[in-house]
Amino acid sequence: MKLLSKKALCNSHGQDSSYFIGWEEYEKNPYDEIRNPKGIIQMGLAENQLSFDLLESWLTQNPDAAAFKRNGDSIVRELALFQDYHGLPGFKDALVQFMSEIRGNKVSFDSNKLVLTAGATSATETLMFCLADPGDAFLLPTPYYPGFDRDLKWRTGAEIVPIQCTSSNGFRITESALEEAYKEAERWNFRVKGVLVTNRSNPLGTTLTKQELQLLLNFVSTKQIHLISDEIYSGTVFNSPKFVSVMEVLIENNYMYTQVWDRVHIVYSLSKDLGLPGFRVGAIYSNDDMVVSAATKMSSFGLISSQTQYLLSALLSDKKFTKNYVSENQKRLKKRHEMLVRGLRQIGIRCLESNAGLFCWVDMRHLLSSNTFYGEMELWKKIVYEVGLNISPGSSCHCTEPGWFRACFANMSEDTLNIAIQRLKTFVDSRDNKDDIQNQQQSNKKKSFSKWVFRLSFNERQRER
């Protein structure tokens, strides 16, 4: 043990979070319609499987791309040999055009300002290495994605200070919450280097408003710090209001020739919008040349394979396909979202009103045995082990209010989601029945006690006569 590094021995990865423990329990006993119908249904994985048939259809219709051919000739040798870490120009051009398309072509992106990384996890960590030193802090609005505790902190030594958001206003970011988080960081003697937001929020499923983005830009401008906008879910918005990129607000408010322009950075990925997490395609977009240069050098530690870049450059360059895919995928997400929300509502469970993403922020506060995080964990364990559903408790997302849970709906079939809802209904009904029985028993005890008191009083009066 003494021969290992401090990093190997430290326990700051976050793997002991209930978010990851739920995954581990699912992997021990995964649900399968035929082989294991009583297993745990995975509702803790934000994966988009609803439109994979569209991708498979494109691959079938474009065999040259899938076979790594150009004009009928194999280019396997070309792709198999060394490529530098700047990435294939054709893929970077196709990716920035797709990013513009996702944002309604209201903004355009320069491929020279794009850095390719092996997924959004790598992109976020790389930005931390570029912007913060060990002990520096980033402010994050709560609730936030549990993986950020790993992505931002574990290897970089950076710190996270929460911006406390509450259900009273739908967990929206306020100026007072931003200022309080900044003061809290100062109390801990952290140097604040920036704010990181996920737009569209994970786990809330809501998009940031223009007002919130303007508030954030004013804040980072005043404090002279960075803003990272994680926009990996930008193509999953299925209801109004529409997605607004921070880049759009920057341009509308004439930040192009100010220092703020260079201190705003975007993280993007194809994991959610195209449902390709296994392809490990992420990106950093920054207007700061020094950040781009440093991040490009760091990207050599996590490259995207040339084969992946070639295949996806062909797919993303097919504008007819990408336009149809984005539109159809949003329709399917909306239908599936409505299915889960309606099913939960019928059993007395409400969700935060949302307009995007692959999950719902579910309010189960009324099911807690006590309004505490102990009560939340008690309920979560019952849902995992007794009901057989892996959902993510709000405490793993650093929510300040016990009783909220994230439930994913896009990583399973419609039939499986129906089974999940039915399981939860059975659980809630059984709790209601127990409560009814307990209430009846208490009522009977009160009635018996009242009769006893009446008889005692009557006998006393008889003796007095």
Side-chain angles (χ1 to χ4, degrees), residues 115-404:
V115 181
L116 300 177
T117 64
T121 296
S122 177
T124 305
E125 186 189 54
T126 298
L127 272 176
M128 284 297 107
F129 275 121
C130 289
L131 306 179
D133 290 313
D136 291 344
F138 264 75
L139 312 182
L140 270 68
T142 61
Y144 63 77
Y145 166 55
F148 281 146
D149 292 319
R150 169 201 64 200
D151 302 350
L152 305 187
K153 297 169 55 177
W154 186 46
R155 297 200 299 182
T156 67
E159 300 289 344
I160 292 175
V161 177
I163 302 167
Q164 304 291 6
C165 303
T166 68
S167 62
S168 61
N169 69 344
F171 297 96
R172 291 292 176 182
I173 302 170
T174 63
E175 183 177 6
S176 59
L178 281 168
E179 290 291 349
E180 181 54 37
Y182 193 88
K183 291 176 182 177
E184 180 68 14
E186 289 183 324
R187 284 193 284 270
W188 283 96
N189 293 320
F190 294 150
R191 181 172 60 166
V192 177
K193 297 302 290 290
V195 179
L196 187 151
V197 294
T198 304
N199 186 20
R200 176 235 50 97
S201 170
N202 177 6
L204 301 178
T206 55
T207 48
L208 292 178
T209 63
K210 277 192 176 183
Q211 291 74 23
E212 284 176 292
L213 290 168
Q214 182 62 65
L215 171 64
L216 289 164
L217 289 172
N218 290 340
F219 181 77
V220 300
S221 176
T222 301
K223 304 297 185 184
Q224 296 186 337
I225 57 178
H226 296 273
L227 174 62
I228 299 175
S229 181
D230 178 348
E231 300 185 358
I232 68 173
Y233 289 94
S234 52
T236 67
V237 180
F238 49 77
N239 270 337
S240 60
K242 293 182 178 180
F243 172 76
V244 179
S245 172
V246 68
M247 191 63 67
E248 185 178 337
V249 181
L250 276 171
I251 295 171
E252 285 184 359
N253 289 272
N254 298 315
Y255 280 109
M256 289 88 75
Y257 305 108
T258 69
Q259 291 182 347
V260 177
W261 179 254
D262 288 342
R263 293 202 302 267
V264 176
H265 320 279
I266 293 175
V267 170
Y268 189 61
S269 164
L270 296 182
S271 296
K272 313 302 180 181
D273 288 353
L274 272 186
L276 297 174
F279 277 48
R280 307 310 305 148
V281 177
I284 296 166
Y285 190 86
S286 176
N287 291 309
D288 189 318
D289 292 338
M290 290 186 68
V291 170
V292 172
S293 176
T296 301
K297 295 169 188 172
M298 292 181 189
S299 70
S300 63
F301 296 101
L303 298 174
I304 307 170
S305 75
S306 299
Q307 293 84 351
T308 296
Q309 292 184 55
Y310 176 76
L311 172 61
L312 293 182
S313 64
L315 184 146
L316 294 177
S317 297
D318 187 340
K319 298 305 177 185
K320 182 178 179 181
F321 168 79
T322 55
K323 183 177 181 180
N324 176 69
Y325 178 92
V326 171
S327 175
E328 181 61 25
N329 184 56
Q330 290 171 346
K331 290 176 184 176
R332 295 181 185 187
L333 286 171
K334 180 177 181 178
K335 179 182 176 183
R336 186 61 65 83
H337 172 268
E338 290 174 348
M339 177 182 168
L340 177 58
V341 171
R342 182 173 59 251
L344 292 176
R345 187 187 301 121
Q346 290 172 352
I347 58 180
I349 297 175
R350 299 276 177 179
C351 299
L352 180 73
E353 185 175 350
S354 57
N355 64 322
L358 315 177
F359 36 73
C360 290
W361 190 234
V362 184
D363 184 358
M364 296 192 190
R365 288 176 290 181
H366 62 293
L367 297 178
L368 299 180
S369 60
S370 63
N371 187 31
T372 62
F373 287 110
Y374 176 84
E376 177 181 282
M377 293 307 296
E378 184 181 51
L379 177 60
W380 174 71
K381 289 176 182 178
K382 288 181 179 179
I383 292 174
V384 173
Y385 297 108
E386 297 177 19
V387 183
L389 304 178
N390 175 37
I391 60 176
S392 304
S395 54
S396 70
C397 303
H398 300 272
C399 183
T400 59
E401 303 171 21
W404 292 90

Side-chain angles (χ1 to χ4, degrees), residues 91-111 113-116 231 234-235 243 245 247 266-270 273 282-286 316 319:
F91 175 61
K92 294 178 72 173
D93 288 341
L95 183 57
V96 294
Q97 289 174 28
F98 182 68
M99 290 170 63
S100 296
E101 184 181 332
I102 287 288
R103 292 156 180 77
N105 291 312
K106 293 181 179 179
V107 292
S108 59
F109 297 92
D110 181 352
S111 62
K113 298 180 178 181
L114 191 78
V115 181
L116 300 177
E231 300 185 358
S234 52
F243 172 76
S245 172
M247 191 63 67
I266 293 175
V267 170
Y268 189 61
S269 164
L270 296 182
D273 288 353
I284 296 166
Y285 190 86
S286 176
L316 294 177
K319 298 305 177 185

Side-chain angles (χ1 to χ4, degrees), residues 30-45:
Y31 168 82
D32 185 88
E33 182 180 2
I34 298 174
R35 294 188 296 271
N36 191 22
K38 293 185 179 180
I40 296 175
I41 295 175
Q42 175 64 292
M43 301 187 77
L45 178 60

